[in-house]
Amino acid sequence: MPDPVKDLPQSPSDGRLAENILYFARLLRSAGLPVGPGRVLDAVAAVKIIGFENQEDFYWCLFSLFVNRSEQRDLFDQAFHVFWRNPRIMERMLSTMLPMVEAESASELETMSRRLADALQQQLDVPMPETVEEEVEFDASLTFSAREVLQEKDFEDMSAAEIADAKKLIAKMTLAMRRLPTRRFETASHGSLVDLRSTLRASLRSPNTITLKFRKRQTRRPPLVILCDISGSMAAYSRMFLHFMHTLSNDRDRVHAFVFATRLTNISRSLRYRDVDAALDHVSAAVKDWDGGTRIGGCLSEFNRLWSRRVLAQGAITLIISDGLDRGSAEGLESQMERLAKSSRRLVWLNPLLRYEGFEPKARGVRAMLPHVDDFKSIHNLRSLQQLSEALQ
């Protein structure tokens, strides 16, 4: 069988064109192109046919044989021009060694892809110039992830993109609450309470032995009642709190949600929609006093008169989300807060004004409400919402 490498007409300038094609194929294979011996033989035979007079024909001849995917084109193009550009490269080619290639300038090396540079580094006798990478050290104690920054950022200072991210995090929140014992009992495998009825029934099946049956009290999470202020002074926070209320309403049963400004509105049914956009659309249609004034005393009076006996049974926990800035005279607010506190198992007041270190209860409404609450906490960012869950647990 004739050897295509020996039969190939050689160029007068180098005399070893076949070996050069072989070394070029090795370079491509080291750079990651699937170039096997069969393609090398086909390339030598093809160059034998087209000749070596036209560089463009020579380029496309090797391209058609060594490249079979579009992502390989740039790598082949760079390798071809680096390997075949300098005519004196043929004079430095040795028959038993890999070709010695020198880049004409440092900028030529910088334009090559990293894969090609690594392949040349392995193939060439002349060492490639080393790239010195400056090592940069970071103090991890002074860096924060994007999520940690978002956790601490005030709702009022968030951009539109940050608000969208915060709403996604709120949708994943859960409010952990301690389960409370009820009046009902359930079967237990052991315990201190003997179920006499179940024990007597079991003894009828086997009169010779008496197997004791036990029972224990059922536990259940207490009802949760939320009263959220949607007046003008709470406009920067009320929208986020509605998303929080929607999450709680779909996470558990017996959640009763109310909003108030100049009047009280029950939005519990609207928040039962699984889709948050549909739920908020129903809330917007039901509420008529968005961003208006504040009548905390009148709204609490309406709640105590119409709703407290319905929703505050079985040890309900009540959350009031408000800044306490009543635009009225706050007359009767203290008595309504006292009645609400006595009807609730636990009364928690969440006030965004507590984010200020110098906050003092100087407003008349704040002074009237504060003595009757069990917990007085800040709620102005995602971190405070998580701390609320820890407090109720």
Side-chain angles (χ1 to χ4, degrees), residues 4 29 59 84 86 98 103 186-187 209 300 304 306 317 333 361:
R29 184 165 56 249
Y59 172 88
W84 300 99
N86 192 343
L98 297 179
E186 61 183 359
T187 304
T209 59
L300 290 183
N304 288 329
L306 300 178
I317 295 178
L333 178 58

Side-chain angles (χ1 to χ4, degrees), residues 194-203 213:
V194 178
D195 190 345
L196 296 180
R197 180 177 297 181
S198 298
T199 301
L200 291 177
R201 287 179 178 176
S203 64
K213 301 294 183 180

Side-chain angles (χ1 to χ4, degrees), residues 34 48 65 153 156 197 200 218 256 267 320:
K48 177 181 177 181
L65 292 168
K153 196 165 189 178
E156 191 175 17
R197 180 177 297 181
L200 291 177
Q218 293 181 354
H256 309 281
I267 60 172
I320 298 181

Side-chain angles (χ1 to χ4, degrees), residues 37-49:
R39 294 191 182 184
V40 176
L41 295 177
D42 293 341
V44 172
V47 173
K48 177 181 177 181
I49 298 174

Side-chain angles (χ1 to χ4, degrees), residues 323-336:
D323 54 7
L325 303 180
D326 195 339
R327 295 190 178 181
S329 59
E331 183 178 356
L333 178 58
E334 185 174 0
S335 60
Q336 297 300 328

Side-chain angles (χ1 to χ4, degrees), residues 68 72 171 223 232 262 265 269 274 356 362:
N68 56 6
Q72 300 171 356
T262 57
T265 307
R269 291 186 177 180
R274 300 293 299 181
Y356 300 114
K362 295 182 178 180

Side-chain angles (χ1 to χ4, degrees), residues 77-336:
D77 185 74
Q78 293 178 6
F80 181 89
H81 287 90
V82 170
F83 191 90
W84 300 99
R85 175 179 296 176
N86 192 343
R88 292 176 298 174
I89 189 176
M90 305 304 178
E91 301 175 1
R92 296 194 299 267
M93 197 75 65
L94 301 178
S95 60
T96 59
M97 300 179 60
L98 297 179
M100 301 171 59
V101 181
E102 282 187 338
E104 295 181 355
S105 63
S107 60
E108 184 176 347
L109 291 174
E110 295 175 358
T111 57
M112 292 189 300
S113 66
R114 181 174 295 273
R115 287 171 57 190
L116 179 58
D118 294 340
L120 286 174
Q121 180 75 25
Q122 299 173 3
Q123 296 272 352
L124 303 182
D125 291 336
V126 178
M128 299 286 287
E130 297 182 357
T131 302
V132 180
E133 298 183 359
E134 182 179 358
E135 184 177 356
V136 182
E137 296 182 357
F138 295 93
D139 186 0
S141 62
L142 299 179
T143 59
F144 300 90
S145 66
R147 177 168 292 189
E148 290 176 342
V149 173
L150 190 64
Q151 294 277 350
E152 301 293 342
K153 196 165 189 178
D154 196 300
F155 291 140
E156 191 175 17
D157 300 332
M158 288 184 178
S159 62
E162 291 172 339
I163 289 177
D165 293 338
K167 290 178 180 179
K168 294 178 182 179
L169 294 177
I170 289 176
K172 300 178 181 179
M173 287 185 176
T174 57
L175 189 63
M177 299 176 62
R178 184 168 59 90
R179 302 177 68 90
L180 302 176
T182 64
R183 295 182 179 180
R184 297 182 178 272
F185 292 88
E186 61 183 359
T187 304
S189 58
H190 59 277
S192 58
L193 297 177
V194 178
D195 190 345
L196 296 180
R197 180 177 297 181
S198 298
T199 301
L200 291 177
R201 287 179 178 176
S203 64
L204 294 177
R205 301 187 186 96
S206 54
N208 297 328
T209 59
I210 298 179
T211 304
L212 294 179
K213 301 294 183 180
F214 300 94
R215 63 176 182 171
K216 63 179 181 180
R217 288 189 180 274
Q218 293 181 354
T219 59
R220 192 178 185 183
R221 289 180 297 191
L224 184 63
V225 179
I226 308 175
L227 300 170
C228 183
D229 189 349
I230 57 171
S231 61
S233 59
M234 291 284 294
Y237 300 94
S238 57
R239 305 288 178 176
M240 301 299 294
F241 296 153
L242 284 175
H243 280 264
F244 181 60
M245 294 162 65
H246 174 265
T247 300
L248 296 181
S249 299
N250 286 271
D251 179 60
R252 65 185 64 229
D253 58 345
R254 299 195 300 173
V255 176
H256 309 281
F258 298 83
V259 293
F260 65 91
T262 57
R263 69 186 73 177
L264 182 72
T265 307
N266 186 356
I267 60 172
S268 302
R269 291 186 177 180
S270 300
L271 294 181
R272 288 296 179 183
Y273 288 90
R274 300 293 299 181
D275 185 73
V276 62
D277 295 327
L280 295 184
D281 288 342
H282 283 81
V283 171
S284 300
V287 178
K288 306 299 182 183
D289 54 343
W290 287 102
D291 302 338
T294 313
R295 292 179 55 250
I296 302 178
C299 293
L300 290 183
S301 176
E302 182 179 356
F303 175 80
N304 288 329
R305 186 177 69 256
L306 300 178
W307 296 101
S308 62
R309 293 192 177 184
R310 305 184 192 181
V311 300
L312 292 180
Q314 300 179 357
I317 295 178
T318 304
L319 304 180
I320 298 181
I321 305 175
S322 176
D323 54 7
L325 303 180
D326 195 339
R327 295 190 178 181
S329 59
E331 183 178 356
L333 178 58
E334 185 174 0
S335 60
Q336 297 300 328

